[in-house]
């Protein structure tokens, strides 16, 4: 059974488009996260969401917005995609300090 | 922003050799974690160390947290090809549940 799942696995799109990545966790965790991993494999926190409290990394452009319909889901919506947004995006969840990561979504902006 | 420096960035060794990967910072952390990431997958937690000077063993992997809780090391004994992957250290600051990751060490174990 998948603990943290993301869809789609791959996403190829044109510059300027708007896209969403979905994330679901079935672990009953209270906190969910979005990370961006660049081509050099550097993993950087974008958002964390805990009990309706959203903490945003100040370097994240406001074209990125997380949306949480319920505790088990944290989706990532991206407006006006740019070439530099190409990366692998990971969703994660945690109860205490151990984080469980999804398989990642490879986003390619052409 | 807390910075975690990992070294070496790349490591290629023969099967059966020993190796050590380092994670250093000028900041003090409440806890430090090591993750392993394989291609096409998300990172998977290997260990969490909390107490300064703590040593934890996971089969052939030995993890150590520095006395001042600013640095950590991962030692692998008799490396196997299955150890190949990206090793990431990550730390939690005091009162925070957000992790800061190091840039990783890409390990290749050659048969």
């Amino acid at each position: 059974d998948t603990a943290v799942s993301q869809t789609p696995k791959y996403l190829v799109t044109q510059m300027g488009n708007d896209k969403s990545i979905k994330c679901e966790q079935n672990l009953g965790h209270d906190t969910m996260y979005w990370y961006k991993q660049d081509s050099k494999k550097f993993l950087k926190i974008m958002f964390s969401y805990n009990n309706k409290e959203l903490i945003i990394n100040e370097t994240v452009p406001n074209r990125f917005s997380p949306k949480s319909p319920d505790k088990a889901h944290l989706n990532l919506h991206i407006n006006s995609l740019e070439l530099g947004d190409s990366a692998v995006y990971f969703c994660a969840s945690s109860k205490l300090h151990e984080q469980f990561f999804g398989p990642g979504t490879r986003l390619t902006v052409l | 922003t807390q910075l975690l420096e990992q070294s070496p960035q790349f490591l290629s060794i023969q099967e059966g050799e020993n190796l050590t990967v380092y994670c250093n910072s000028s900041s003090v952390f409440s806890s430090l974690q090591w993750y392993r990431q394989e291609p096409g997958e998300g990172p998977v937690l290997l260990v969490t160390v909390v107490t300064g000077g703590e040593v934890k063993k996971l089969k052939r992997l030995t993890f150590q947290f520095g006395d001042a809780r600013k640095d950590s090391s991962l030692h692998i004994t008799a490396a196997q090809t299955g150890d190949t992957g990206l090793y990431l250290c990550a730390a939690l600051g005091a009162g925070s549940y957000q992790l800061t990751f190091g840039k990783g060490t890409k390990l290749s174990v050659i048969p």
Side-chain angles (χ1 to χ4, degrees), chain A residues 43 90 99-102, chain B residues 35-37 41-45 88 101:
Chain A
L43 197 61
F90 287 98
Q99 295 199 7
F100 292 81
F101 285 79
Chain B
Y35 289 78
R36 189 173 93 190
Q37 183 179 15
E41 298 180 11
V44 176
L45 180 68
L88 297 158
F101 279 85

Side-chain angles (χ1 to χ4, degrees), chain A residues 9 31 33 35 37 40-43 45 47-50 53 55-56 58 90 97-99 101-103, chain B residues 1 9 30-31 33 35 37 40-45 48 86 88 92 96-99 101-103 106:
Chain A
K9 176 77 172 170
T31 308
Y33 311 81
Y35 288 86
Q37 189 171 45
K40 294 185 178 179
K41 304 297 183 186
F42 184 38
L43 197 61
I45 182 81
F47 305 100
S48 60
Y49 197 84
N50 175 287
E53 180 192 13
I55 298 177
I56 304 170
E58 65 272 11
F90 287 98
H97 296 156
E98 178 179 358
Q99 295 199 7
F101 285 79
Chain B
T1 305
Q9 193 175 352
S30 58
S31 67
Q33 300 178 330
Y35 289 78
Q37 183 179 15
E41 298 180 11
V44 176
L45 180 68
T48 301
L86 179 69
L88 297 158
L92 274 170
S96 170
Y97 52 80
Q98 286 202 350
L99 285 175
F101 279 85
K103 294 191 175 182
K106 189 171 182 182

Side-chain angles (χ1 to χ4, degrees), chain A residues 12-71:
Chain A
V12 181
T13 188
Q14 299 284 339
M15 268 176 55
N17 285 349
D18 302 339
K19 290 292 178 186
S20 292
I21 306 172
K22 294 186 176 181
C23 177
E24 177 181 2
Q25 54 98 1
N26 62 7
L27 298 167
H29 288 167
D30 295 325
T31 308
M32 295 184 73
Y33 311 81
W34 276 104
Y35 288 86
K36 179 181 180 180
Q37 189 171 45
D38 61 25
S39 57
K40 294 185 178 179
K41 304 297 183 186
F42 184 38
L43 197 61
K44 195 169 181 183
I45 182 81
M46 298 177 71
F47 305 100
S48 60
Y49 197 84
N50 175 287
N51 290 329
K52 299 186 180 180
E53 180 192 13
L54 176 66
I55 298 177
I56 304 170
N57 184 318
E58 65 272 11
T59 66
V60 175
N62 58 14
R63 298 180 294 104
F64 290 79
S65 55
K67 298 191 190 307
S68 180
D70 55 60
K71 216 169 82 163

